[in-house]
């Protein structure tokens, strides 16, 4: 075999490994054959092969005075990547192409030490004559992605993953068995990790276009003939100041025999100076036009966050032993009384859990959304004369499944649940249930005051923490919550809570993954909603045809998470008029359309305070 031939073969092999993750392969045996075949090719040090040891490679020729990029930093104490030098303004489209190719490689290198959290939530679709495509069932993946040479991931949901895969194997046609490899959905973080260059691609300038506040140059990208399978085919948007790719839209091509690639729309945000960081990926397949013989239809949202988390917890377990929480918080110099000791102990557990979930990339740091949540909790407390020894705190769980739980005096509510709640009264209802647990002293989790119980790897968080109450406590908390609500400013709006519960019940049998909780009690079990059942009959009947009846919202409409530092804030969107029942999309996945802006261009996004009174109301 000629050197050129073997290089080419090696490249095809390398690509085929990626295909394995993304594509729908017919048979495992064929796949295994490919993997075995790639062994004899003794990885020649081809000139265009990226060496594994990236830090030794200079960032590029044009920045001699720059210090090496952040990849040279040790894995722990990571600093934000050094921004690339500002290039002279290009004068031709040809120069623009050179610049964004160079910057794409710079981004890949700058992020190669990162292990962000990746979540994919997928809804399979079926056609409903009134509502259009609606979810028939759903799937959920959560993991940490290593963005180094071989993009790899560790899953938080190991057991479920396995059972889900076996269910897929049993329930679906064999053709689609590798379809939901979780890695497949995060594949389009880059156009082409190894060969994004002029040798493999043609770039054709299309036009200028604004994405949000950012003016972009739009290019169509097509793989050159014989450049191998699984190359990017589609369109990219390149911002016109730093010349970085901010959006990719398309698929991979050509697909190997008997397989297919997803279509994806991948968005990046300018979260750190000089770089646009992969943040959201939307995937969709399916044709619902008359006569279409689609065998597969789904919508999926992939969110990436936690770029600034420390690398795996395993490497630095010892730093997690906490000795600082047993501080002297009582004004007296005497020993704590038994009751005081009990409270300090519970607070210690609470602090440990909150800190551990935050460092594991599952909780947002305290911020903007918490002020709204705390206002609602405070409204319930004041009107019910609830006086607790310590204030109630709230935190946002960054994940999509609909979930609340409490540990000590901290109430945790998931981003997905805040998203779908139609109004402040419904938010108050789900928070009231957790407040009731706190008031009734249903304190769980004091065992986490023992610090050894915080020593586990991030991806085993769900195996190590849990805050599920026994059914009797659930019932008591629901009863108490309804009492609180009836005394509160939300007493006149409980019809909306009833409507939300009805909407949830209507979709619950098809949204098992969205309703599967990982730390707290589920809102529904086996397709039946059991949370706050006393309010479930409250209010008018659910009527999809009534356009002014908004019982639940789509996912993703309220809470915006900064993928770099995990800060959560409320989205301020103007309400969009609903013109048909199909616009309601309760609990559904939709495409992403973030308003792009350059970092620093938006004067302090966290500056504008929001209040519960004027914010969670867009639905009504
Ligand atoms: Zn509960």
């Amino acid at each position: 075999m000629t050197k050129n031939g073997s290089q080419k073969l090696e490249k095809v092999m390398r690509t085929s490994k990626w295909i394995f993750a993304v594509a729908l392969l017919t048979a495992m045996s064929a796949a295994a054959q490919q993997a075995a075949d790639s062994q004899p090719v003794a990885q020649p040090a081809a000139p265009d092969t990226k060496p594994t040891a990236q830090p030794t490679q200079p960032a590029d020729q044009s920045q001699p005075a720059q210090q090496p990029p952040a990849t040279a930093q040790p894995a722990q104490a990571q600093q934000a990547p050094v921004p690339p030098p500002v290039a002279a303004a290009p004068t031709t489209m040809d120069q623009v192409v050179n610049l964004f190719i160079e910057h794409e490689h710079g981004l890949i290198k700058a992020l190669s030490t990162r292990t962000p959290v990746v979540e994919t939530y997928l809804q399979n679709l079926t056609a409903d004559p009134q509502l259009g495509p609606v979810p028939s069932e759903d799937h959920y993946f959560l993991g940490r992605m290593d963005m180094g040479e071989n993009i790899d991931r560790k899953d938080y949901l190991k057991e479920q993953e396995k059972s889900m895969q076996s269910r897929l194997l049993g329930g679906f046609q064999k053709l689609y068995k590798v379809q939901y490899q979780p890695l497949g959905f995060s594949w389009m973080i880059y156009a082409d990790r190894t060969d994004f260059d002029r040798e493999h691609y043609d770039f054709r300038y299309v036009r200028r276009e604004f994405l949000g506040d950012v003016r972009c140059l739009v290019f169509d990208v097509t793989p050159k003939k014989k450049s191998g399978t699984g190359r990017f085919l589609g369109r990219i948007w390149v911002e016109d100041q730093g010349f970085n790719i901010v959006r990719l839209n398309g698929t991979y091509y050509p697909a190997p025999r008997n397989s297919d690639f997803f279509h994806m729309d991948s968005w990046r945000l300018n979260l750190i100076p000089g770089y646009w960081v992969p943040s959201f990926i939307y995937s969709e397949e399916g044709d619902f036009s008359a006569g279409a013989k689609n065998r597969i239809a789904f919508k999926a949202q992939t969110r990436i966050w936690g770029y600034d988390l420390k690398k795996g917890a395993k490497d630095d377990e010892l730093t997690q032993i906490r000795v600082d929480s047993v501080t002297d918080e009582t004004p007296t110099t005497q020993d704590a009384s038994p009751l005081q000791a009990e409270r300090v102990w519970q607070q210690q557990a609470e602090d440990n859990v909150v800190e551990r979930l935050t460092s594991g990339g599952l909780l947002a740091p305290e911020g903007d959304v918490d002020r709204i949540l705390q206002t609602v909790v405070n409204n319930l407390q004041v009107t019910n004369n609830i006086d607790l020894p310590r204030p109630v705190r709230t935190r946002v769980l960054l994940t999509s499944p609909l979930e609340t739980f409490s540990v000590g005096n901290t109430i945790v509510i998931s981003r997905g649940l805040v998203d779908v709640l139609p109004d402040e009264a419904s938010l108050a209802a789900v928070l009231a249930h957790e407040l009731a647990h706190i008031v009734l002293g249903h304190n769980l989790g004091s065992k986490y005051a023992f610090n050894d119980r915080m020593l586990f790897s991030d991806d085993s968080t769900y195996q190590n923490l849990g805050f599920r109450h026994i059914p009797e406590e659930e019932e008591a908390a629901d009863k108490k919550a309804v009492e609180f609500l009836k005394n509160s400013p939300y007493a006149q709006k409980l019809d909306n809570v009833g409507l939300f519960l009805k909407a949830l019940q209507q979709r619950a049998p098809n949204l098992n993954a969205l309703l599967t909780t990982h730390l707290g009690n589920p809102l529904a079990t086996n397709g039946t909603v059991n949370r706050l059942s006393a309010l479930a009959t409250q209010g008018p009947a659910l009527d999809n045809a009534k356009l002014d009846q908004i019982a639940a919202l789509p996912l993703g409409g309220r809470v915006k998470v900064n993928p770099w530092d995990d800060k959560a804030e409320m989205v301020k969107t103007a309400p969009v008029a609903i013109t048909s029942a199909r616009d309601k999309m309760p609990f559904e996945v939709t495409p992403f359309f973030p308003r792009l802006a350059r970092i620093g261009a938006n004067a302090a996004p966290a500056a504008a305070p929001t209040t519960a009174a004027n914010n969670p109301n867009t639905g009504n």
Side-chain angles (χ1 to χ4, degrees), residues 54 77 79 157 187 193 227 301 377 402 411 559 591 602 615:
Q54 300 230 352
Q79 291 170 2
L157 317 171
W187 180 227
R193 203 174 186 291
S227 64
Q301 286 185 337
V377 172
L402 312 185
I411 296 174
V559 181
N602 250 348
N615 210 282

Side-chain angles (χ1 to χ4, degrees), residues 175-195:
L175 181 63
Y176 298 122
K177 72 170 138 191
V178 202
Q179 170 190 356
Y180 299 134
Q181 283 276 356
L183 187 58
F185 292 98
S186 33
W187 180 227
M188 210 189 266
I189 50 175
Y190 304 124
D192 186 327
R193 203 174 186 291
T194 50
D195 299 308

